[in-house]
Amino acid sequence: MDASHVTAAVAETQRVLGPHTDADWSVPAGPLEWSCRDTAVHIAHDLLAYATQLTAAPTDAYLPLDLTVRPDPTPVLLWCTGRTSLPGHPRRTSWTWQAARTWGNP
C-alpha cells in the first residue's frame, strides 16, 4: 500500500458516510457493539496512523499515535476555520498545513 490507497480510503469513507452526517451516530454500527461514532473514529484513527507511518517512514519502529475526538467537535472546527472564537485561544485569521513547512523555516 501507498499514499494513494489512503487517499482512496478517505474518499470512499466520505462518499459512504457523508450523506449520514445528520443521523444519530450514537446507535450501534450494525451488528457491532460499538456505536457508529466510535466506529468512524476507529476508521479515522487507522487512516491517520497509516498515513503517519507512510510519511515518517520509520525503519525500526511503529510510531505511537493516538486520536481523540471530542464528543462535540463543532466549536473546535469552527475555530480552526476562523468562524468563531474559542475560550483561551485567539480567533484564527489564517490557516496553513504545518507539516508542509520545511524545518527551520517559518
Side-chain angles (χ1 to χ4, degrees):
M1 292 184 79
D2 59 29
S4 67
H5 294 102
V6 175
T7 301
V10 170
E12 182 65 7
T13 301
Q14 288 176 322
R15 185 189 72 74
V16 172
L17 299 180
H20 306 284
T21 55
D22 292 330
D24 179 4
W25 288 65
S26 65
V27 300
L32 301 178
E33 292 181 13
W34 288 359
S35 69
C36 291
R37 179 189 183 280
D38 290 343
T39 303
V41 167
H42 179 75
I43 292 168
H45 175 269
D46 286 353
L47 291 172
L48 177 62
Y50 188 71
T52 301
Q53 291 299 123
L54 286 174
T55 302
T59 58
D60 61 346
Y62 188 82
L63 296 175
L65 183 84
D66 202 5
L67 174 67
T68 302
V69 178
R70 296 172 187 244
D72 181 13
T74 304
V76 174
L77 293 174
L78 291 174
W79 172 76
C80 287
T81 56
R83 294 185 288 177
T84 190
S85 59
L86 191 63
H89 300 278
R91 188 177 183 125
R92 301 288 305 207
T93 58
S94 65
W95 185 85
T96 183
W97 282 102
Q98 296 299 317
R101 291 185 175 179
T102 303
W103 289 107
N105 295 330

